[in-house]
Amino acid sequence: MADTRKQEEDEEARAAFAVPVPVAYTEPSRLQEDFVSRGFVALPPEALGVDPGIHEAVIARQAALRAEHPKAVSDPMLAAHVPEILDVLNAPGLVAACESILGPRYAIAPFTHNGLFPSGGRAQHWHKDDSAPLNARKQRHHQAIQAALLYYPQVVDSNMGPTTLVPFSQYWTLNHETNHENFAGPEHLDFDYMVTEEKYSVTGPKCRYSPEDVQNRCTHHDLRMQQALLDTCWPLIHQCEAAPLQAGSVVLCSHNLLHRGSHRRDDWHHWLEKPRHMWRFYLYRTMEPAPPSESEVASAVARCGCDRLASQFPAQAHEPGADVFEVWNHQLRWMRSGATPSPCSQVQRERPEERVALARQLSEQLGTSGVEAEPKRIGAAYRLASLGDPELASELLGHALLSDQEEVRRAATYGLVALGPASTAVLLRAAVSQEKWVRRAGVYGLGDAAHLTQEVLDVLEEKLPSDPSVYVRAVAAGSVGCLGRRAATSCTGSHLLGRCMQILLASLRREHNRPAMDAAQRKMIKFVRPTDDCDVCEGSAVREPLGLEAHFAGRFERGRSAVREHALWAVVILCSQGASRFWQGLGSIVEALADVARRDKNAVCVGFAVDALHRLATHAEGLEASVLEPLRQLCVTLRAEEPVCSWE
């Protein structure tokens, strides 16, 4: 009897999961809260502030290019091919929404799949996108530091293969350090599906299912994806479709959100005349959140309520508890003020012995294992950070950081980052650990949370030339940029900016590109594995853009470098602070970046270098004309010299 009831409950749960909740457009006043909690926001075309005719022009230009190059169906199409995309990216309403989430002067990563994605008969499985360009790996930040911009120039309905999202999943992830199925940048909920099933068409001329099964979402593919979500047992687990959408809609989502490209469910005979295209861009923060003014203090300390999207989920979706709300509240506070959490009111009322007992309980919760316990681990780490006892919290989180379980170390790392500067001593010890994974966690935390001191920067500088792990060196380069971003708005750390820049430029002089891993190992990028030379996925080779194959092949090689690319990512952040911050060494900075732009054989490095130079020339308040004009002319010259550039 009990088995029958359990089977009925499972069938009810699967039936409820079969129907995704449609994505609704976000109210302007809810942009930050919704992004922090559900992990995405949706903007209607009228919110962008751009002529509606632009979307039709984008569609027409796409069609003309495909007609001109009929055999290059899968070749990358860049914004350079469709200049109207730049009108969309610069639309005032879209810029305002992006700035609300990522802050002013946000950047777009170059050559990172920025371009056109059509839907069709195949279905992806759930995955988190690569956190660095083209399947490369980069540290995932919980803060609003990286986001994806999805632009749909045409109407999208639920039968056209819309993007499917898993809201509330951005803070929970999967092991990758020794789980080589997730060695490449993306992380997969069901890697075996990608190997065995993703190559098959679910719909279209080679469809293996009846139209009824396709429409009712009960094909083998649909059921497997639904079960993968159910098996996580994560809070508020369900799926949402980016549909129905009006032509010209934009979805901004956390770079850490589980999602997939879904297959079409309409008559395949009409796909060519009714395509579903999506342009995707990877955005990242360059400016630290500004401290709130007196009038903004109340907003900065506001706490998240239960997201209204959750009310549309089936009853089987697990409710959020204190663990989830603590994560949301911390990230909302950081986005609005850059501040670490204050103790929650309940903890403030507790006696010291009760607080210690709660800390021990949370420490035990932090040590639980299994994918399904990820929210409990992460929540426990954040709750320890807001306990109101930094010394006790750093002791317990520091102990968890030494765990032999990756999932426990991961949660402890995010907890130490949430704790803020009080975690500095623990992170400094971790950064010199004999254990590579502990060392990487410490180096990451120093950039995101540690005190802005010479000692901290010295440790990061020492790691860049000497650490035997490419992964640790790459994370160190990114951390120098994050530390510099924080230092720029600090009264006590701004003097470190120039040193940060010199450390990164020195790294560029030492590090070199290696053959892209897919080319070197002669495998699809998802199947590459670490080597004696490199213990982090540096990504796949940059593919030749549409119509520029000959030039691209002559100018660039199939090479990548995690450290060089992380360093240049960080340089873009530093240059966004303004050229006057580096006026004493500006000439050497410009010379080094121009050398990368002209001579580097890695297209991703060139894209970052050109963007950094452009930012120095754009944010040049206080710079003398005799210095500024040559810099601006250099940017124009570089664009003329290099026809293959990431215009966005």
Side-chain angles (χ1 to χ4, degrees), residues 229-247:
L229 292 184
L230 283 167
D231 288 346
T232 67
C233 298
W234 290 345
L236 300 175
I237 194 72
H238 198 52
Q239 52 183 330
C240 286
E241 279 187 343
L245 296 177
Q246 303 170 41

Side-chain angles (χ1 to χ4, degrees), residues 17 77 260 345 405 425 431 499 552 607 611:
F17 270 72
M77 188 181 292
R260 66 181 180 89
S345 56
Q405 298 183 66
R499 176 99 181 279
F552 199 88
D611 191 13

Side-chain angles (χ1 to χ4, degrees), residues 55-105:
H55 312 306
E56 297 177 5
V58 168
I59 294 171
R61 181 89 65 166
Q62 291 170 180
L65 281 164
R66 288 305 182 205
E68 184 180 348
H69 304 276
K71 295 184 179 180
V73 176
S74 61
D75 283 7
M77 188 181 292
L78 306 176
H81 295 99
V82 185
E84 292 83 0
I85 286 292
L86 302 179
D87 294 314
V88 175
L89 294 176
N90 289 312
L94 178 57
V95 170
C98 293
E99 288 183 342
S100 175
I101 293 167
L102 294 173
R105 303 183 186 180

Side-chain angles (χ1 to χ4, degrees), residues 151-228:
Y151 163 63
Y152 303 88
Q154 75 289 301
V155 169
V156 180
D157 65 43
S158 61
N159 288 323
M160 293 172 66
T163 307
T164 309
L165 310 168
V166 183
F168 311 109
S169 64
Q170 69 271 30
Y171 302 116
W172 333 128
T173 194
L174 308 163
N175 291 345
H176 77 275
E177 292 174 354
T178 55
N179 174 14
H180 290 166
E181 290 182 351
N182 288 327
F183 174 68
E187 288 155 19
H188 301 268
L189 204 53
D190 184 352
F191 184 83
D192 187 59
Y193 174 92
M194 187 196 69
V195 176
T196 61
E197 301 286 349
E198 200 166 289
K199 59 187 175 183
Y200 296 114
S201 292
V202 185
T203 59
K206 298 181 180 180
C207 177
R208 300 182 292 171
Y209 304 106
S210 70
E212 292 76 21
D213 283 350
V214 170
Q215 281 298 321
N216 294 330
R217 304 173 191 269
C218 56
T219 70
H220 166 71
H221 294 256
D222 291 307
L223 295 176
R224 184 161 177 172
M225 292 181 204
Q226 295 157 22
Q227 192 61 48

Side-chain angles (χ1 to χ4, degrees), residues 266-347:
D266 51 359
D267 187 342
W268 65 271
H269 294 90
H270 302 299
W271 289 357
L272 287 177
E273 64 192 57
K274 190 183 177 183
R276 191 240 61 171
H277 289 140
M278 178 193 79
W279 287 79
R280 182 178 68 186
F281 301 91
Y282 288 173
L283 280 56
Y284 61 99
R285 176 183 290 274
T286 66
M287 309 293 285
E288 192 73 358
S293 63
E294 290 186 13
S295 62
E296 295 171 329
V297 169
S299 172
V301 299
R303 303 178 75 82
C304 283
C306 191
D307 192 304
R308 287 172 293 177
L309 178 64
S311 65
Q312 302 178 54
F313 287 3
Q316 292 89 346
H318 303 274
E319 291 294 325
D323 297 330
V324 175
F325 282 118
E326 190 58 50
V327 177
W328 293 356
N329 290 331
H330 173 86
Q331 294 304 334
L332 184 63
R333 180 181 176 87
W334 184 88
M335 182 186 284
R336 291 178 172 174
S337 68
T340 52
S342 56
C344 68
S345 56
Q346 180 182 350
V347 170

